[in-house]
Amino acid sequence: MSAQASQRLQLPRAAVQGMASGIFFLTFFGAYWGFISAAFMSGAVQVVAFLLVGLVTLVFFGMGILLLRYARTLPKTVSVEDAAVGKRIAMWFGMIFGLEMVLIALASILLSLFRVDRFIAPTTALIVGIHFFPLARLFRVPVYYLTGALLSVLALVALVALLFGLPIAGSSPYNWSLFVGVGTTLVLWLTVLYMTWFGLRIMRQRGIS
């Protein structure tokens, strides 16, 4: 590992805590999409899906807790500038997340009123995907750009298929909701997996197992 790469891995306490928070946040929503998707399955596949989602969720939450414990070993000192930046980041995150929730709620209400609720899951996934782009810039996490792009493409595929009546996912248009749910779960899991891998690199560098 180069000296520059080594220096990049020596993150301050707040950054490691932020990484852990990101893992918790994405794991929670990954579980939400995963359990919702499993509920639409049946038979043995449904049982396996519920168990898998539960197991993966526990593993990722465990990694988040491990990172938080590691963060406590880092210095607590925070400069005035860093504190101000932290407050600004928290403010913008609240605004982005709040706007996301408002748009999802508004879209769900309108689509239900017009009796096209089959579009709710893809539209929600599209809003979620788009909200990752400002988060990538805000938190300086480049992988969020990829997460946002994958979720957006996934949602757009389902929306276009529904608009043109393409039965690629099966005869029922609601199969696209399952398609989006499973796809969103996998994308969020892959993002958490990358963050977990990065967190393990940081801890191994400092000799923490």
Side-chain angles (χ1 to χ4, degrees):
M1 183 185 300
S2 67
Q4 184 178 5
S6 177
Q7 185 177 9
R8 286 200 300 267
L9 292 180
Q10 294 174 355
L11 300 180
R13 180 172 184 165
V16 178
Q17 289 176 329
M19 185 185 304
S21 299
I23 289 176
F24 287 135
F25 188 81
L26 296 180
T27 298
F28 172 81
F29 284 101
Y32 170 80
W33 283 94
F35 283 126
I36 290 294
S37 300
F40 284 94
M41 300 176 186
S42 60
V45 175
Q46 183 183 62
V47 175
V48 171
F50 273 119
L51 291 175
L52 179 62
V53 173
L55 179 61
V56 172
T57 299
L58 289 176
V59 170
F60 284 148
F61 270 134
M63 184 58 205
I65 293 172
L66 194 62
L67 270 178
L68 282 181
R69 291 178 59 187
Y70 164 68
R72 293 173 186 171
T73 68
L74 300 176
K76 295 182 180 180
T77 55
V78 179
S79 66
V80 176
E81 292 79 8
D82 289 339
V85 170
K87 290 181 180 179
R88 186 166 65 251
I89 289 176
M91 179 192 69
W92 278 105
F93 172 73
M95 293 174 61
I96 294 170
F97 183 72
L99 179 60
E100 176 195 18
M101 293 296 101
V102 169
L103 290 176
I104 290 174
L106 183 61
S108 299
I109 293 171
L110 291 176
L111 291 172
S112 295
L113 285 176
F114 287 100
R115 298 181 180 179
V116 284
D117 52 342
R118 62 186 180 276
F119 287 93
I120 291 178
T123 302
T124 300
L126 181 61
I127 295 172
V128 172
I130 292 174
H131 107 288
F132 272 100
F133 293 109
L135 289 186
R137 180 180 177 85
L138 180 66
F139 292 117
R140 298 180 182 178
V141 181
V143 72
Y144 282 174
Y145 286 115
L146 180 58
T147 302
L150 290 175
L151 290 177
S152 298
V153 170
L154 184 76
L156 288 173
V157 167
L159 288 171
V160 170
L162 285 169
L163 286 172
F164 290 95
L166 302 177
I168 300 174
S171 57
S172 173
Y174 291 96
N175 286 341
W176 284 107
S177 295
L178 181 59
F179 168 82
V180 168
V182 173
T184 300
T185 302
L186 294 176
V187 171
L188 294 178
W189 280 357
L190 288 173
T191 306
V192 178
L193 186 63
Y194 171 81
M195 295 173 70
T196 299
W197 168 79
F198 190 76
L200 287 173
R201 286 183 63 197
I202 296 171
M203 290 188 291
R204 285 174 181 169
Q205 181 193 5
R206 292 176 59 94
I208 298 177
S209 58

